[in-house]
Amino acid sequence: MTAKSHLQWTAEALDILRVGSGFRLADVDPESAPGYSGDKARGEADLAAGVDELDEYQERLYAASRSEVTDSSVLLVLQAMDTAGKGGIIRHVVGSVDPQGVMLTAFKKPTKEELSHDFLWRVEKRVPQPGFIGVFDRSHYEDVLIGRVRSLAPADEIERRYGAINDFEKRLADAGTRVVKIMLYISPDEQKARLAERLERPDKYWKYNPGDIDERKLWPEYMKAYQVVLERTSTEYAPWHVVPANRKWYARLAVQALLLETLEAIDPQWPAATFDVEAEKARLAAT
Amino acid sequence: MTAKSHLQWTAEALDILRVGSGFRLADVDPESAPGYSGDKARGEADLAAGVDELDEYQERLYAASRSEVTDSSVLLVLQAMDTAGKGGIIRHVVGSVDPQGVMLTAFKKPTKEELSHDFLWRVEKRVPQPGFIGVFDRSHYEDVLIGRVRSLAPADEIERRYGAINDFEKRLADAGTRVVKIMLYISPDEQKARLAERLERPDKYWKYNPGDIDERKLWPEYMKAYQVVLERTSTEYAPWHVVPANRKWYARLAVQALLLETLEAIDPQWPAATFDVEAEKARLAAT
């Protein structure tokens, strides 16, 4: 990358964090900062510097789509165990983008109506339009994560879903959506410290749910389910990226870099005027 | 207000900008900065200072709603002539808020399906949930603005709508939604300068539409339609505020102040724990 804010990156985040064949989640160190040579202070400065770049790319993407010269869009899929920092990513990375170009969806426990449909039904409705950056806070992957760990569907149905997800994402990619899938990866000890903090601070109580401990006890089962997800659904057209997230500053910077590199690859251009500029100047002058 | 960023305000923005009985739009100076004694540099500094306050209020509002101790929400309705700065307000004021607590809707020309329903049908679906700040970029007021100016509906139907709007907004207010209606008010000369800029800069072409000139020619008719809207729909429970907007820095600061004062009036509190904190600490320690 040539972008100013990325001089400390030794490689493209899209490459170095990508889940390829033979990937093992257990080999990733949640404390690490792959591809980035700077320290925390430098990382925070680079995050701030990236905001303007992201801002211009997003506006170009939006502008290009308004004039129908592109049907490109971006879909950022965020998955993680509780406390891994999805909220902070949305606040500090997604939140730095003009909200007029962002379509954010937080997928909660499915409603009765949602459960009566195929698991992709509610997801399909939230796919970003051309020009938009869609963000999924949790996603259809819950249906093969908690779905698998908690046996919320029969085993053969869970099995079917991996293929259905790949077909779905292939269709999105063919229609011009860059699907950027990110797992934020923390250690169980880090989660323990973050949950403990929520129990120490009255302004954090609302983020705590006793059910979080029940899920925490299933950590090994969740890691197995993630490993299967990464093996079965990291495709050419919609690869997964695992972002070590024990260090919040690195996770935020890495997600911003993944977004920046994705937009750089799209390389959206300001569209040409669809009207006669001189004629319009004359019309305006006459008013 | 006691908030630090508001020392330069000589009065509550909610009071000084409010449309009361006898209000005449023609008496407002779009160049003015009512209630604010600072200059542009000070205004920009105050806008930046207000970001953290807005951030905390929004998070408290969201947190309170998650624990069901409040059903409060805010609905910001933005109306204006083209180029008046709605986009800049959304980018710089709304955009400073955590996107997880914002529900933004840009209302475009109605689709066939929307037109087949009552004019409030599409609006109703975008009312904010408890804890959210809803933002309408244009709104149901288009149906009595362009609707009236362009005779898009029979006169008696337009007439009916003012009452229907008041009933609708009363229902929202009764359900806990603070409806903050804002008209950004620019002069025709200022619009001319801003349209001219769009025609000078290739990175602004995409924002220009030849139809903007056609609307511009109907300026007096639009001002009459706004005057009627302000007279008929500035109610106790959902008052209008007219924000002079020739100076962008003032308009942004004033909208931020209107939001801050609204949230201050709600005064959302961090909710108490809905679980036994010590018991949860013990459960966590055992994992």
Side-chain angles (χ1 to χ4, degrees):
Chain A
M1 284 189 64
T2 52
K4 286 189 304 296
S5 67
H6 288 78
L7 294 177
Q8 312 301 311
W9 285 91
T10 57
E12 293 258 328
L14 279 173
D15 290 334
I16 205 158
L17 298 172
R18 181 177 182 140
V19 172
S21 68
F23 177 91
R24 282 170 37 88
L25 186 56
D27 294 339
V28 177
D29 177 2
E31 284 287 342
S32 63
Y36 190 74
S37 63
D39 61 5
K40 179 178 179 181
R42 180 70 213 203
E44 288 174 345
D46 280 354
L47 184 71
V51 166
D52 286 345
E53 284 173 72
L54 195 54
D55 205 45
E56 178 165 342
Y57 273 130
Q58 179 275 325
E59 191 175 352
R60 281 177 185 261
L61 180 70
Y62 187 85
S65 75
R66 293 309 93 174
S67 302
E68 297 176 20
V69 295
T70 180
D71 53 8
S72 293
S73 62
V74 174
L75 176 59
L76 188 69
V77 175
L78 293 173
Q79 283 291 154
M81 297 296 282
D82 287 328
T83 77
K86 285 190 287 92
I89 296 281
I90 293 167
R91 190 167 191 155
H92 297 282
V93 181
V94 176
S96 80
V97 176
D98 187 341
Q100 294 169 96
V102 173
M103 185 171 171
L104 170 66
T105 309
F107 289 100
K108 308 291 187 190
K109 192 177 162 184
T111 62
K112 269 192 184 175
E113 187 189 15
E114 287 168 349
L115 284 173
S116 75
H117 292 274
D118 179 67
F119 76 109
L120 291 171
W121 180 75
R122 64 176 187 164
V123 177
E124 192 90 57
K125 292 194 288 187
R126 301 296 298 172
V127 162
Q129 296 168 268
F132 278 77
I133 298 175
V135 179
F136 285 179
D137 174 359
R138 304 187 188 273
S139 67
H140 42 300
Y141 285 98
E142 291 295 325
D143 298 286
V144 286
L145 289 166
I146 191 170
R148 185 184 183 102
V149 171
R150 294 271 185 195
S151 302
L152 301 180
D156 61 343
E157 164 62 10
I158 300 283
E159 196 54 33
R160 181 191 72 83
R161 288 178 183 170
Y162 300 106
I165 286 173
N166 287 340
D167 291 346
F168 167 63
E169 292 177 352
K170 175 76 162 63
R171 182 155 49 80
L172 292 188
D174 288 345
T177 301
R178 304 262 175 157
V179 184
V180 182
K181 301 187 295 196
I182 296 175
M183 180 208 182
L184 300 176
Y185 186 51
I186 55 169
S187 63
D189 283 352
E190 181 67 21
Q191 188 193 53
K192 192 170 188 171
R194 293 184 186 181
L195 286 172
E197 193 194 0
R198 292 184 181 176
L199 289 169
E200 289 299 335
R201 292 177 49 179
D203 63 333
K204 299 277 190 190
Y205 287 166
W206 68 277
K207 292 188 173 185
Y208 184 86
N209 182 330
D212 296 347
I213 303 270
D214 303 319
E215 294 301 293
R216 174 172 167 75
K217 287 179 178 165
L218 296 168
W219 193 279
E221 288 80 359
Y222 272 105
M223 291 307 109
K224 271 183 219 153
Y226 269 106
Q227 177 67 35
V228 176
V229 160
L230 297 170
E231 281 171 19
R232 301 282 297 272
T233 65
S234 194
T235 57
E236 276 296 310
Y237 45 87
W240 273 101
H241 303 84
V242 172
V243 173
N246 273 16
R247 295 198 258 178
K248 288 182 184 173
W249 67 265
Y250 173 77
R252 291 171 189 174
L253 187 68
V255 174
Q256 188 192 59
L258 291 168
L259 264 180
L260 278 171
E261 292 169 13
T262 300
L263 286 158
E264 192 183 41
I266 296 174
D267 192 24
Q269 300 298 317
W270 297 118
T274 54
F275 45 84
D276 180 334
V277 175
E278 294 309 316
E280 291 301 316
K281 283 183 185 173
R283 284 183 72 214
L284 177 61
T287 63
Chain B
M1 285 191 60
T2 52
K4 287 188 305 296
S5 68
H6 287 78
L7 295 177
Q8 314 299 312
W9 285 91
T10 56
E12 293 258 329
L14 280 172
D15 289 335
I16 205 159
L17 299 172
R18 181 176 182 141
V19 172
S21 68
F23 177 91
R24 282 169 37 88
L25 187 56
D27 294 340
V28 176
D29 176 1
E31 285 286 342
S32 63
Y36 190 74
S37 63
D39 60 5
K40 180 178 178 181
R42 179 72 214 200
E44 289 175 345
D46 280 355
L47 184 70
V51 165
D52 286 343
E53 283 173 73
L54 195 53
D55 206 45
E56 178 164 342
Y57 273 130
Q58 180 275 324
E59 191 175 354
R60 281 176 186 261
L61 180 69
Y62 186 85
S65 75
R66 292 310 93 173
S67 301
E68 298 176 18
V69 295
T70 181
D71 53 7
S72 292
S73 63
V74 174
L75 175 60
L76 188 69
V77 175
L78 293 173
Q79 284 290 156
M81 297 296 282
D82 286 329
T83 79
K86 283 190 288 89
I89 296 281
I90 293 167
R91 190 167 189 154
H92 298 282
V93 181
V94 176
S96 80
V97 176
D98 187 342
Q100 295 169 95
V102 174
M103 186 170 169
L104 170 66
T105 310
F107 289 100
K108 309 289 186 190
K109 192 176 161 186
T111 63
K112 270 193 183 173
E113 187 190 15
E114 287 168 349
L115 284 173
S116 74
H117 293 273
D118 179 67
F119 77 109
L120 290 172
W121 179 77
R122 65 176 186 163
V123 176
E124 192 90 56
K125 291 193 290 186
R126 300 297 298 172
V127 163
Q129 296 167 267
F132 277 77
I133 298 176
V135 179
F136 284 179
D137 174 0
R138 304 188 188 274
S139 66
H140 43 299
Y141 285 99
E142 290 296 324
D143 298 284
V144 287
L145 288 165
I146 191 169
R148 184 185 183 102
V149 171
R150 294 274 185 191
S151 301
L152 301 181
D156 60 345
E157 164 61 9
I158 300 282
E159 195 56 32
R160 180 191 72 83
R161 289 178 182 171
Y162 300 106
I165 287 173
N166 288 339
D167 291 345
F168 167 62
E169 293 177 351
K170 175 77 160 63
R171 182 156 50 79
L172 292 188
D174 287 346
T177 301
R178 304 262 175 156
V179 185
V180 183
K181 301 187 297 197
I182 295 175
M183 180 206 181
L184 300 176
Y185 186 52
I186 56 168
S187 63
D189 283 353
E190 181 68 21
Q191 188 193 53
K192 192 171 189 170
R194 294 183 186 182
L195 286 172
E197 192 193 0
R198 292 183 181 178
L199 289 169
E200 288 300 334
R201 291 178 48 180
D203 63 333
K204 298 276 190 191
Y205 287 166
W206 68 278
K207 292 188 173 184
Y208 183 87
N209 181 330
D212 296 348
I213 304 270
D214 303 319
E215 294 301 293
R216 176 172 165 75
K217 288 178 178 165
L218 296 167
W219 192 280
E221 288 80 0
Y222 272 104
M223 292 307 110
K224 272 182 219 153
Y226 268 107
Q227 177 66 35
V228 176
V229 160
L230 297 170
E231 282 171 18
R232 301 283 296 273
T233 65
S234 194
T235 55
E236 276 295 311
Y237 44 87
W240 273 101
H241 303 84
V242 172
V243 172
N246 273 16
R247 295 197 258 179
K248 286 182 185 174
W249 67 266
Y250 172 78
R252 291 171 190 175
L253 187 67
V255 173
Q256 188 191 58
L258 291 168
L259 264 180
L260 278 171
E261 292 170 12
T262 300
L263 286 159
E264 192 183 42
I266 296 173
D267 192 23
Q269 301 298 316
W270 298 118
T274 53
F275 45 84
D276 180 333
V277 175
E278 294 310 316
E280 290 301 315
K281 283 184 187 173
R283 284 184 71 216
L284 177 60
T287 63

